[in-house]
Amino acid sequence: AREGSSAVAGSSKDAAELLNKNEAYLAELLSYSLDRLNKEPELLRDDQSRIQRQLEETAFRNYKAFVSTAECIQKVGEGLSEIGQELSSIHEGIPAIEKKSARYEGVLSSQLDEQAHNKQLLANSAQVLEILEVTQLMETCIRHGNYDEALDLEAFINKLTVLYPGVAIIQSLQQDSKALSSTVEKQLFSRLRANLQLPECLRIVGYLRRMGHFTENGLREEYLRCRDTWFQQLADDLPRHDHYSYIKRLTDYHRVHIFDIIMQYRAIFSEAGGDKRSSKPKQKFKYADLLHAWASRRIAFYLEELRVHLPFIHEGANLSSVFEHCMYCGMSLGRIGLDFRGLLVPVFEEAVRHLFQKHMKHAVGLFGGMLASHKWPRDIAGSAEEVGGSTRDKNNGTAGANGGGGAGPPAGGGGGRG
């Protein structure tokens, strides 16, 4: 557009100069005389001839320049043609160049981002190294029993996982943290299977609550399961060759450890923050039926052990001592609502009945033998032998038919005295 406007401006300027020259020549012609005007065509022809000769002379003198110029113009034309062809090929290759340039730009952009990331990683290498060593530090804390610090480190890793969910290193740290958390859980449950006081139990249950792997009810079940395993191990380790000592020691274990376990359970799992004045008795302890079921199972185990081992106690004094010991245990556990003394009476009644029947059979047999071996006078020997024989047969028949039923009333009385 600018070239066209400049060309139009140049042509208008030339036209204006030509018009000025024509006007000047016309004014000059008007100033000539008639003779001068008559000579003007001849003069113009002479000027034309002169100019033509000068042009021919100039062309002759500059012939080589004209030829060179023509050749140059020809070469320039050929070069412009070649340039046009090259430009066409370049124009055809521009889309491929653009694609490669875009691909290179993407690669360059990714490399620049990676370079920036590496620079940032180098600048924060100390902090990154600390993060990578978190799991090792957590493992060291677990090895030395510093569970508070270990759980704090686990919470830190969980926070990093929430903030940076797509980072592979953070996910690897989370997996390692879960494995270590499982180790902590096993160690804590293992410690619950030992003889512990209330502060230690509170601390361990607090750790388990912080881990959040169990609901409140599930945590109560696991706690009772661990304590039950420990108590059962204590009972299984008692020597059983002496039934009297075994029952007394088992009774002591129930009196002391069952009391401790229940009191610890109620102290640990009592409702926190509740209004004690408005709380109902049924809501005093949440999931209390779980504790009741466990306590009932332990008492059932204890009574079964009594039924098994009491028949092997052959002395009435020992049986009475065991009974008093068991009644004292029931009275002691009655302070926490576990008074089972009413369940002891049938068990000991059966044991006393068994002991009475055994001694009665022995006494009847001994009495019959004494009657048979006694030296009676001649006049009453026959009648005494007949009476002794009939008495012995009657006692043997009664014992065989009724299984010692004749000793029932005395055994019942003995059980009542016991």
Side-chain angles (χ1 to χ4, degrees):
R2 286 196 299 268
E3 291 178 357
S5 61
S6 61
V8 171
S11 61
S12 61
K13 184 177 180 181
D14 293 339
E17 291 179 355
L18 181 61
L19 181 60
N20 292 331
K21 288 180 180 180
N22 291 335
E23 290 179 353
Y25 180 67
L26 181 60
E28 185 179 358
L29 287 178
L30 292 176
S31 63
Y32 289 164
S33 61
L34 183 60
D35 294 334
R36 180 70 175 82
L37 289 174
N38 291 327
K39 293 179 180 179
E40 187 64 21
E42 186 66 24
L43 292 174
L44 291 175
R45 283 192 294 273
D46 292 341
D47 290 337
Q48 183 180 6
S49 299
R50 180 176 53 78
I51 291 171
Q52 184 66 28
R53 284 194 302 273
Q54 291 178 353
L55 181 62
E56 291 176 357
E57 291 176 357
T58 301
F60 182 75
R61 288 195 303 269
N62 299 304
Y63 174 74
K64 293 182 179 180
F66 290 152
V67 173
S68 300
T69 302
E71 293 177 354
C72 180
I73 291 172
Q74 183 180 2
K75 291 181 179 180
V76 168
E78 294 176 355
L80 289 175
S81 177
E82 293 178 358
I83 290 172
Q85 294 177 359
E86 295 292 334
L87 289 176
S88 298
S89 62
I90 291 174
H91 181 71
E92 293 175 356
I94 284 177
I97 294 173
E98 289 180 349
K99 291 181 180 179
K100 293 181 179 180
S101 298
R103 190 182 303 114
Y104 175 74
E105 184 179 359
V107 173
L108 182 61
S109 177
S110 63
Q111 291 181 351
L112 291 176
D113 293 339
E114 185 176 357
Q115 183 180 8
H117 177 71
N118 292 334
K119 289 182 179 179
Q120 185 178 5
L121 181 62
L122 180 62
N124 301 297
S125 58
Q127 292 83 350
V128 173
L129 185 61
E130 290 178 358
I131 292 175
L132 294 177
E133 292 177 350
V134 167
T135 53
Q136 298 179 3
L137 182 59
M138 184 177 176
E139 184 178 1
T140 303
C141 292
I142 294 172
R143 192 181 304 113
H144 291 86
N146 300 325
Y147 298 113
D148 280 320
E149 291 77 5
L151 293 179
D152 290 339
L153 292 174
E154 183 186 10
F156 174 71
I157 294 176
N158 292 334
K159 183 179 179 181
L160 289 179
T161 305
V162 174
L163 294 176
Y164 310 102
V167 180
I169 295 178
I170 302 299
Q171 294 177 355
S172 176
L173 289 176
Q174 186 185 21
Q175 294 177 358
D176 296 340
S177 173
K178 288 182 178 179
L180 293 174
S181 178
S182 177
T183 302
V184 171
E185 181 180 313
K186 292 179 181 178
Q187 290 184 4
L188 292 176
F189 282 135
S190 176
R191 294 180 65 176
L192 282 177
R193 298 185 187 99
N195 188 12
L196 299 175
Q197 299 299 320
L198 178 59
E200 184 66 16
C201 290
L202 284 171
R203 192 178 301 111
I204 292 174
V205 174
Y207 293 149
L208 293 172
R209 280 174 174 161
R210 283 186 60 185
M211 294 175 69
H213 295 171
F214 296 93
T215 61
E216 186 66 17
N217 195 15
L219 185 58
R220 293 165 189 256
E221 293 178 2
E222 292 297 330
Y223 176 83
L224 286 178
R225 184 178 291 112
C226 293
R227 303 305 288 162
D228 183 75
T229 302
W230 166 71
F231 184 82
Q232 187 63 42
Q233 185 64 37
L234 287 179
D236 294 339
D237 292 340
L238 287 175
R240 307 195 180 205
H241 60 277
D242 187 355
H243 302 279
Y244 172 74
S245 299
Y246 170 73
I247 292 178
K248 295 201 73 172
R249 293 188 64 183
L250 183 65
T251 303
D252 289 335
Y253 280 178
H254 279 75
R255 178 175 56 85
V256 175
H257 296 305
I258 295 295
F259 184 87
D260 290 341
I261 291 174
I262 293 178
M263 292 304 296
Q264 290 171 0
Y265 179 90
R266 290 180 174 178
I268 294 171
F269 298 105
S270 61
E271 291 185 355
D275 189 359
K276 295 182 179 179
R277 293 174 297 179
S278 62
S279 61
K280 299 180 181 179
K282 293 184 180 180
Q283 298 176 350
K284 187 175 182 180
F285 298 104
K286 197 174 183 181
Y287 308 117
D289 53 344
L290 183 63
L291 179 62
H292 295 163
W294 176 80
S296 300
R297 190 170 65 85
R298 293 311 320 173
I299 295 302
F301 166 78
Y302 176 68
L303 294 176
E304 184 62 28
E305 289 296 302
L306 289 178
R307 292 188 184 95
V308 172
H309 292 276
L310 283 179
F312 295 97
I313 298 177
H314 306 297
E315 297 294 334
N318 291 342
L319 190 62
S320 176
S321 176
V322 169
F323 178 71
E324 292 178 359
H325 209 66
C326 295
M327 293 296 284
Y328 176 71
C329 175
M331 181 183 67
S332 178
L333 293 180
R335 293 180 296 169
I336 55 174
L338 201 61
D339 189 354
F340 61 93
R341 287 177 291 179
L343 301 176
L344 293 174
V345 175
V347 178
F348 278 90
E349 280 185 352
E350 183 65 26
V352 170
R353 184 181 296 111
H354 175 77
L355 184 61
F356 180 79
Q357 291 175 357
K358 179 180 178 181
H359 286 291
M360 181 60 69
K361 289 180 181 179
H362 179 70
V364 169
L366 184 61
F367 180 71
M370 292 175 64
L371 289 178
S373 62
H374 184 71
K375 294 182 178 181
W376 299 94
R378 291 182 178 180
D379 54 349
I380 60 174
S383 61
E385 289 179 0
E386 291 178 0
V387 172
S390 62
T391 303
R392 187 165 53 250
D393 294 339
K394 183 178 181 181
N395 289 333
N396 291 334
T398 305
N402 300 329
R417 288 193 300 274

